C-alpha cells in the first residue's frame, strides 16, 4: 500500500536527491564542502562548526558512487544526519587538482589517493575531531575510520554514527553493527 502522499502524487522535495552530474563525470551534492583543498584547514573549519571531516573518494563512471548519491544521499534521514554532523570533501581518485595534505605537502588528488592507499570507489575516509597531532602521523594513521566501497543505506548511516559517536575508540565497525542490533 502506498503512503497517502505518494497515492495523491505528492512527493516531498526532501526525498529527492539533489545530485547533479558534473562535467567531470562525478555526481555532486550542493551541500558538499566548498574547499580550497587544504585538509588541515578543512578539518579545523569542520571542528569549529562542531562537525567531523570526511573525504569521499570517487571515480568517473563508478556505479556505486552513483548509487551513493542517488540512493543513500536521497534518503532525508541520512542526509540530514550527515549534514548536521559532517563536512564532506569530494575528491576524484584520478583527479589532477592540487590538495594540501595535513603535513603541508601539496599533491594531486591522484597522488593523495596513492599516499592514503585508496583503491576502491566510493571510499569514505574519516578524520579525528581535531587537527592536533594529525600532521605528525603517517598518512594511514591519520584517519580514524574508513569505508571502502559501497554501503547500503542502513550501514552507510551506521558508519557515520560510528564515527560521530567515536565508537572506533571502543572497537571495530563490525562490532558496532553487531552491538546495535539488539
Amino acid at each position: 500500500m502506498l503512503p497517502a502522499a505518494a497515492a495523491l502524487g505528492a512527493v516531498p522535495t526532501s526525498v529527492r536527491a539533489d545530485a547533479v552530474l558534473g562535467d567531470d563525470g562525478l555526481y555532486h551534492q550542493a551541500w558538499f564542502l566548498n574547499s580550497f583543498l587544504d585538509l588541515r584547514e578543512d578539518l579545523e573549519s569542520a571542528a569549529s562548526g562542531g562537525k567531523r571531516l570526511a573525504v569521499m573518494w570517487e571515480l568517473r563512471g563508478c556505479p556505486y558512487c552513483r548509487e551513493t548519491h542517488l540512493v543513500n544521499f536521497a534518503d532525508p534521514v541520512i542526509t540530514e544526519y550527515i549534514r548536521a554532523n559532517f563536512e564532506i570533501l569530494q575528491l576524484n581518485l584520478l583527479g589532477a587538482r592540487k590538495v594540501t595534505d595535513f603535513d603541508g605537502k601539496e599533491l594531486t588528488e591522484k597522488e593523495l589517493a596513492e599516499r592514503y592507499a585508496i583503491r576502491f570507489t566510493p571510499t569514505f575516509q574519516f578524520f579525528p575531531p581535531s587537527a592536533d597531532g594529525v600532521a605528525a602521523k603517517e598518512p594511514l594513521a591519520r584517519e580514524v575510520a574508513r569505508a571502502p566501497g559501497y554501503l547500503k543505506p542502513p550501514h552507510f548511516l551506521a558508519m557515520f554514527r560510528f564515527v560521530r559517536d567515536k565508537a572506533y575508540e571502543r572497537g571495530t565497525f563490525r562490532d558496532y553493527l553487531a552491538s546495535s542490533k539488539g
Side-chain angles (χ1 to χ4, degrees):
M1 186 153 153
L2 290 172
L8 297 174
V11 178
T13 56
S14 64
V15 173
R16 295 182 187 205
D18 60 354
V20 175
L21 185 60
D23 292 338
D24 58 2
L26 304 180
Y27 284 89
H28 299 274
Q29 302 289 335
W31 51 271
F32 275 4
L33 183 60
N34 189 7
S35 171
F36 289 112
L37 302 178
D38 184 316
L39 296 182
R40 182 176 181 85
E41 284 180 9
D42 291 341
L43 179 55
E44 289 172 348
S45 176
S48 72
K51 296 182 179 186
R52 301 291 297 267
L53 176 65
V55 173
M56 179 181 187
W57 289 94
E58 298 189 61
L59 184 62
R60 173 188 212 105
C62 165
Y64 291 112
C65 300
R66 179 182 185 276
E67 190 87 356
T68 299
H69 284 280
L70 301 183
V71 175
N72 297 21
F73 289 140
D75 183 326
V77 171
I78 292 173
T79 300
E80 288 168 18
Y81 183 83
I82 293 172
R83 289 182 73 174
N85 294 288
F86 289 86
E87 292 288 352
I88 305 289
L89 175 62
Q90 181 180 40
L91 295 177
N92 184 338
L93 186 70
L94 301 177
R97 294 183 301 168
K98 294 288 186 182
V99 182
T100 303
D101 201 353
F102 294 104
D103 58 9
K105 188 168 184 174
E106 189 177 82
L107 304 152
T108 65
E109 291 166 286
K110 181 180 179 181
E111 292 166 339
L112 188 69
E114 290 169 0
R115 187 176 207 204
Y116 282 93
I118 305 296
R119 293 183 177 38
F120 307 103
T121 57
T123 290
F124 283 84
Q125 284 181 288
F126 298 92
F127 293 96
S130 162
D132 296 340
V134 173
K137 294 180 180 180
E138 289 298 314
L140 292 177
R142 294 175 183 159
E143 62 190 48
V144 296
R146 178 183 289 208
Y150 179 73
L151 293 174
K152 292 188 182 228
H155 291 146
F156 185 71
L157 178 57
M159 175 54 92
F160 282 87
R161 286 187 171 142
F162 171 77
V163 172
R164 183 65 190 181
D165 296 344
K166 297 182 185 176
Y168 52 82
E169 293 176 349
R170 300 181 297 278
T172 66
F173 181 56
R174 179 172 276 151
D175 296 337
Y176 180 80
L177 287 176
S179 69
S180 60
K181 290 183 182 184

